[in-house]
Amino acid sequence: MSRIFCVLGAERSGTNYVALLVKKNLNLTSTTSVNPNLCTNSWLLENEISLLRNRNVLLHPSCKIPHWKHSPPTHSFLFGRNLAYVAVVKNPYSWYISYKRFAPFHENKPDASVAPSIKRWNTLNKSYLKYNQSNKNLCLLRYEDLVLDPTEEVGKISRKYKIHFEKQKFISITNRVHTG
């Protein structure tokens, strides 16, 4: 049975960066070659599944999962597939500065004033801690640790979910990560 990674975090918290690091450095099956008739023990990255759905690629119903990137974790299993959450938590001050800077360019134009923004940050990060108390499928990463030592943080994910990771072949992502 395939397992699915869901990378979580507030907007502008480093979720795209983590997804790229995981994709480049851990042995994940590309969702472009998912055969719905085969059950595998490989990991899939949740946002790749979402991208395929946006391209009108037909997927087995068990692959059609909701996009939880900026929402609290809710399930341990979905359609019989194991879910593994990797949640990125960023320092509230640096997160708010980044969030406020990019909010005008976001398609939904969120309210980036201080009170609602910090309430959003608190709600999401509290949900990760609460979920982690009763579930073993969440790996919490601090964005600041990720920036200082991305190899160690990818290694932390690898150890938690028992995925082969070759530290000496680590592929760093140095370009700015930005979604359209």
Side-chain angles (χ1 to χ4, degrees):
M1 189 65 59
S2 62
R3 299 168 289 177
I4 300 173
F5 267 105
C6 300
V7 180
L8 303 173
E11 299 87 342
R12 311 302 309 162
S13 63
T15 53
N16 293 329
Y17 180 55
V18 170
L20 282 172
L21 283 174
V22 165
K23 183 177 175 180
K24 294 280 186 190
N25 291 287
L26 298 180
N27 188 18
L28 300 183
T29 299
S30 171
T31 54
T32 56
S33 61
V34 169
N35 182 338
N37 300 317
L38 298 176
C39 290
T40 66
N41 277 324
S42 56
W43 286 98
L44 306 172
L45 192 59
E46 182 260 347
N47 63 339
E48 285 188 336
I49 294 170
S50 296
L51 289 172
L52 282 176
R53 189 175 26 194
N54 291 339
R55 289 189 207 132
N56 296 320
V57 174
L58 291 176
L59 294 173
H60 189 270
S62 60
C63 290
K64 294 184 179 184
I65 65 174
H67 188 71
W68 291 315
K69 186 174 173 182
H70 304 303
S71 303
T74 53
H75 300 85
S76 298
F77 294 91
L78 186 68
F79 304 119
R81 293 177 183 263
N82 289 331
L83 297 181
Y85 294 107
V86 178
V88 186
V89 178
K90 192 173 189 178
N91 163 318
Y93 179 74
S94 63
W95 172 79
Y96 175 68
I97 297 301
S98 179
Y99 183 66
K100 184 176 180 178
R101 182 173 164 212
F102 285 94
F105 306 106
H106 192 274
E107 60 200 34
N108 297 335
K109 307 276 189 264
D111 181 357
S113 56
V114 175
S117 298
I118 296 303
K119 182 178 179 185
R120 172 143 178 75
W121 185 92
N122 282 331
T123 300
L124 280 176
N125 291 298
K126 188 168 74 174
S127 75
Y128 305 147
L129 294 174
K130 183 178 177 186
Y131 183 85
N132 202 29
Q133 289 174 347
S134 57
N135 296 279
K136 302 295 181 215
N137 64 334
L138 175 69
C139 183
L140 284 166
L141 301 180
R142 283 178 9 131
Y143 178 78
E144 291 75 17
D145 294 339
L146 193 62
V147 170
L148 287 174
D149 192 354
T151 309
E152 176 55 32
E153 296 305 297
V154 170
K156 185 189 294 185
I157 298 167
S158 161
R159 289 186 296 276
K160 175 154 181 83
Y161 297 115
K162 296 173 179 54
I163 301 169
H164 179 69
F165 170 52
E166 293 186 48
K167 205 173 196 175
Q168 64 276 14
K169 293 184 179 178
F170 181 77
I171 300 169
S172 62
I173 311 292
T174 55
N175 296 336
R176 284 185 61 170
V177 179
H178 179 65
T179 55

